[in-house]
Amino acid sequence: LTLSQATAVLSGLKPLLAAGAEVFVRTRLVDDYRYGRGVEEEPDGFRLATPETGEAGLFNRFYMQHGLVDLLVGTLGLTDRNELAVRFDNLQAGRRVPGNSDLVVWGRVP
């Protein structure tokens, strides 16, 4: 999702969530190996040219850790947050793809 699409989805989701609902989000960070590998369509958002991952032609938005957290707090009011940066290698089509970098955020809606 583009940043504006992600903001719209989260804002639209907010009134549908019960107080105390748990939210879990996982997305890519800007130090992920795919960052910048494709056509930039918005700041930190690229139409990927990475056939080795099966994502060629797909749009991916990458975040700084604080950027995703600020988005979740601003749209959902997320509280009781936990944040976990995850860096790992992955197997894609029998090939080792190093440098995956994700951020996992979970918390509660007030």
Side-chain angles (χ1 to χ4, degrees):
L1 298 173
T2 65
L3 181 56
S4 64
Q5 289 170 329
T7 301
V9 167
L10 292 168
S11 296
L13 186 61
K14 170 83 167 130
L16 304 175
L17 296 172
E22 295 180 356
V23 174
F24 175 92
V25 175
R26 181 174 183 155
T27 194
R28 293 191 175 132
L29 290 169
V30 294
D31 64 340
D32 185 275
Y33 122 95
R34 294 166 192 83
Y35 184 89
R37 294 180 185 249
V39 176
E40 188 171 31
E41 293 189 1
E42 69 176 32
D44 298 325
F46 301 88
R47 184 127 341 248
L48 295 179
T50 53
E52 68 277 12
T53 65
E55 299 167 294
L58 299 178
F59 179 82
N60 271 237
R61 173 79 162 74
F62 299 81
Y63 289 87
M64 302 268 306
Q65 185 164 341
H66 66 80
L68 179 61
V69 171
D70 290 351
L71 177 62
L72 295 170
V73 170
T75 55
L76 299 178
L78 204 62
T79 63
D80 301 325
R81 286 187 326 274
N82 290 288
E83 303 165 22
L84 180 63
V86 182
R87 289 171 179 77
F88 58 98
D89 294 347
N90 200 6
L91 291 177
Q92 293 284 335
R95 178 179 169 205
R96 182 176 172 202
V97 178
N100 291 269
S101 181
D102 291 356
L103 179 65
V104 179
V105 179
W106 63 98
R108 294 188 185 277
V109 175

